[in-house]
Amino acid sequence: MHHLQRPEGRIAYDLYGAENTGTLVVCVPGMFDHRASFRFVGTALAAAGYRVAAMDLRGHGDSDITFSDHTDLAAATDAIALAEELNQELADARIVMAGNSLGAGAVTIAALDRPDLVAGIALLGPFLRAPESGWAKRALLKVLLARPWAPRALTLFYDKLHAGRTPQGHAEQLDRVLRMLRPVDRYRAIRETINGPKVSEERVQGAEPPVAEAVVIMGEQDPDWPDPRAEAAWVASVVEGRVVMVPECGHYPQSQRPDVVVPALIDLAERVNAGA
């Protein structure tokens, strides 16, 4: 585990392929998730010659709980800072960012704000706009997020979002998430991430698409959306990207179907480098 120093605290990240000089891929997970959800992607891409940094969101995993801003915009600034620090010796290198759920919104913002740095984005189970929800669903979420049962309830919800294939080591990942959610001060930061504004939704409405090469990777059984294929098509239209639908997969393609995600990321990196 490594740490990136930011103005209000540190961001934890794992580095795969540290000695490689290939394209840098920065991975950003979603809310109430742990960076280890990218463990298979990091290992496989490192074996293929890439460098991979999988980070925790603010207040999540092993990142500090001292931050005041927990939005996807804040995560975008952290991803950019991490990319700059790891890539400082290669000023002209092309960087790819992969984001899951809220992390997809973060890497989209990063691509919009830093077209000089971010050349490719992969949006996995992207959360670029909030799904429609009535009062009953909002009330249920409020109850779900209340302590003392919130850590266990969110962990069970996290498990349910893995519709389709169960990842190897899933029990260990569930334990990581539960342990992360239990401390009161850390849970407060995670709850602020869940309840906070999603800046990416505001940024993409009516905006010019990012210049970065883009691919949208959506699980065919993603429970977040009544029609995952339609949502993937909408996201692809916003970022002018391609769509990869993933069978037997819910909200976490990076851990449920790395056999599909890794080739898609390699293809993205090759397209980015071909266009350099």
Side-chain angles (χ1 to χ4, degrees):
M1 179 180 65
H2 305 265
H3 284 97
L4 170 72
Q5 186 63 52
R6 301 288 287 140
E8 292 186 324
R10 301 175 306 161
I11 297 296
Y13 67 96
D14 289 330
L15 196 58
Y16 302 84
E19 302 303 320
N20 293 336
T21 58
T23 302
L24 173 64
V25 181
V26 176
C27 300
V28 186
M31 50 192 178
F32 64 91
D33 197 5
H34 189 282
R35 67 186 185 278
S37 67
F38 281 97
R39 60 196 182 278
F40 304 122
V41 167
T43 300
L45 287 180
Y50 296 88
R51 292 181 300 161
V52 181
M55 57 177 268
D56 278 321
L57 295 178
R58 298 179 175 195
H60 291 58
D62 295 293
S63 290
D64 289 343
I65 58 174
T66 50
F67 295 95
S68 59
D69 185 353
H70 298 87
T71 61
D72 49 2
L73 174 58
T77 66
D78 295 335
I80 289 170
L82 179 57
E84 289 179 326
E85 176 160 307
L86 294 177
N87 215 44
Q88 58 186 341
E89 74 279 10
L90 298 172
D92 296 326
R94 311 280 280 173
I95 292 174
V96 169
M97 290 189 177
N100 173 235
S101 196
L102 178 143
V107 304
T108 301
I109 294 172
L112 288 168
D113 287 350
R114 291 295 305 275
D116 60 310
L117 180 71
V118 184
I121 54 174
L123 311 182
L124 289 70
F127 201 84
L128 263 62
R129 62 178 177 180
E132 294 183 7
S133 60
W135 68 267
K137 191 172 183 179
R138 291 193 296 271
L140 179 61
L141 178 62
K142 186 175 182 180
V143 171
L144 183 71
L145 295 178
R147 294 185 72 92
W149 53 77
R152 178 69 65 178
L154 278 175
T155 303
L156 291 173
F157 182 54
Y158 180 77
D159 184 32
K160 294 291 186 184
L161 288 173
H162 287 78
R165 292 192 187 182
T166 300
Q168 182 181 359
H170 185 55
E172 290 82 355
Q173 180 71 355
L174 289 176
D175 185 60
R176 289 186 193 99
V177 170
L178 181 59
R179 285 188 283 109
M180 176 182 77
L181 290 166
R182 275 179 169 156
V184 174
D185 49 2
R186 186 166 294 280
Y187 177 71
R188 186 179 300 113
I190 294 171
R191 186 180 59 197
E192 289 181 9
T193 306
I194 296 171
N195 288 331
K198 305 302 180 284
V199 179
S200 59
E201 183 170 5
E202 304 169 10
R203 291 290 303 276
V204 302
Q205 297 293 341
E208 289 294 320
V211 297
E213 184 80 27
V215 60
V216 178
I217 305 173
M218 180 75 82
E220 291 182 353
Q221 298 173 239
D222 192 328
D224 261 349
W225 308 102
D227 188 342
R229 188 176 296 274
E231 185 63 21
W234 176 81
V235 174
S237 72
V238 168
V239 298
E240 293 189 349
R242 297 167 292 110
V243 173
V244 175
M245 295 301 299
V246 187
E248 301 179 70
C249 183
H251 194 56
Y252 301 98
Q254 69 271 25
S255 56
Q256 293 184 268
R257 295 300 308 269
D259 58 316
V260 176
V261 171
V262 170
L265 290 177
I266 291 175
D267 176 70
L268 176 64
E270 290 176 347
R271 288 170 182 260
V272 162
N273 290 319

